[in-house]
Amino acid sequence: MPHQSRNSILAGGIERSGRGKAYHNRGVWAKKSKPAKAAAAVPAAGTVTKTVKGGKRTVQRPRAPRFYSAESVAKPLASRQNPHTAKLRASITPGTVLIVLAGKYAGKRVVFLKQLASGLLLVTGPFKINGVPLRRVAQAYVIATSTKVDVSKVAVPEHVNDAYFAKPKAAKTKKSGDQLFAEDKKEEAKKPKIAARVADQKSVDAAVLKAVQAVPNLAKYLKALFSLTNKQYPHKMQF
C-alpha cells in the first residue's frame, strides 16, 4: 500500500493542515534531543596526522617546491637491492668441466678456474683444444659435470679480473676528411692489448694442458661439442 501523507491536499494544492499543525502531528516535538557530539580535533593547517606504531602523530606537511623545472627530469626510483657476489653452486669447484649453454661458445666444454669478484666464472677451453679463450661466464648458463681437472698447479695472474675484460671507452673526436679513412692507427693501438692477452692465455693454458694430457681421452672429451638428440632430456641425465 503506498504511503499516504498525514497532511492531505485539498483542491487547488491547498494543504489541510498548516505548518504548525503538521509539525504537531508528526510528533517531532516529543522526541528528546540527543547530546551533541564533541567536535573532532581538526589538525592545524600545514600538518598531517600519521598512524604510527605507538598511535597517531601530527607532523608537518611537506611543502611543494616554489619553482618547477621547465623540462621533465627523470628521477631514479629508490631501490633496496644490496649488490653482492653470487653464491657459487656446490657442484662447481676449481677444475670442474662445465658445458656452456649460451653465447658464442654454446655447446663447448670448458674448465672452471675461479670465481671473479662480480660473481662470474673464469673459464678456459683450453684454447688449443677447443678454441675457447679465457673468458667470463655466468653460472646460470652452464651445466656442471662430474669430470674434474687438477688445476692446483695453475697460476692465474692477479691482473686477470673483471677490469681485464672491460672494453676501453674511446674518446669521441671529430674527424676531418683525411681522418675518416685512417684505420691503421686503430689496428696499431689494438696490437699491444692482443699480444698481452695471447701471453696470458699461453701462461694459463700451459699448466691446464699438462693436467688434461695426464688423463686418457680427456682432451677428446673437451673437444667434443655437446648436443642433444630426440628424446634426450637434460634433467634426466647425469653429467
Side-chain angles (χ1 to χ4, degrees), residues 14-230:
I14 302 173
E15 296 179 346
R16 181 180 295 278
S17 303
R19 287 191 301 174
K21 186 65 176 177
Y23 177 80
H24 180 79
N25 292 340
R26 288 200 305 270
V28 180
W29 55 272
K31 294 181 181 180
K32 296 180 180 180
S33 59
K34 296 181 180 180
K37 294 183 179 180
V42 180
T47 60
V48 61
T49 303
K50 291 186 177 181
T51 303
V52 294
K53 189 174 182 181
K56 294 185 178 181
R57 182 179 299 171
T58 302
V59 296
Q60 194 74 21
R61 187 189 300 274
R63 294 183 178 180
R66 296 180 61 186
F67 302 99
Y68 294 88
S69 176
E71 300 177 358
S72 57
V73 181
K75 184 179 180 181
L77 298 176
S79 176
R80 294 186 179 181
Q81 292 182 355
N82 185 18
H84 60 279
T85 303
K87 186 178 179 181
L88 193 63
R89 278 186 287 175
S91 59
I92 301 177
T93 56
T96 303
V97 176
L98 308 176
I99 300 174
V100 183
L101 302 177
K104 181 179 179 180
Y105 300 99
K108 297 279 189 177
R109 292 178 171 90
V110 295
V111 179
F112 169 64
L113 300 177
K114 68 175 184 178
Q115 186 181 24
L116 301 176
S118 62
L120 299 177
L121 311 181
L122 180 64
V123 299
T124 183
F127 184 81
K128 189 175 182 180
I129 294 178
N130 53 22
V132 180
L134 281 169
R135 64 185 287 107
R136 298 177 298 174
V137 182
Q139 60 178 326
Y141 301 105
V142 297
I143 295 176
T145 66
S146 58
T147 307
K148 305 284 183 181
V149 178
D150 185 13
V151 293
S152 58
K153 297 182 180 180
V154 178
V156 180
E158 294 183 359
H159 64 271
V160 180
N161 48 25
D162 291 305
Y164 179 80
F165 297 96
K167 293 183 179 180
K169 294 182 179 180
K172 295 182 179 180
T173 55
K174 292 185 178 180
K175 298 180 181 180
S176 60
D178 298 335
Q179 294 176 344
L180 291 175
F181 304 98
E183 299 293 339
D184 297 336
K185 293 183 179 180
K186 288 185 179 180
E187 295 179 0
E188 291 177 1
K190 290 181 180 179
K191 286 182 180 179
K193 187 175 181 180
I194 294 175
R197 288 281 185 95
V198 172
D200 294 335
Q201 185 73 51
K202 289 181 178 180
S203 64
V204 174
D205 283 357
V208 178
L209 283 171
K210 287 183 180 180
V212 170
Q213 292 170 357
V215 181
N217 299 323
L218 184 55
K220 293 181 179 179
Y221 174 73
L222 292 174
K223 190 174 182 179
L225 190 68
F226 173 78
S227 61
L228 295 174
T229 58
N230 191 22

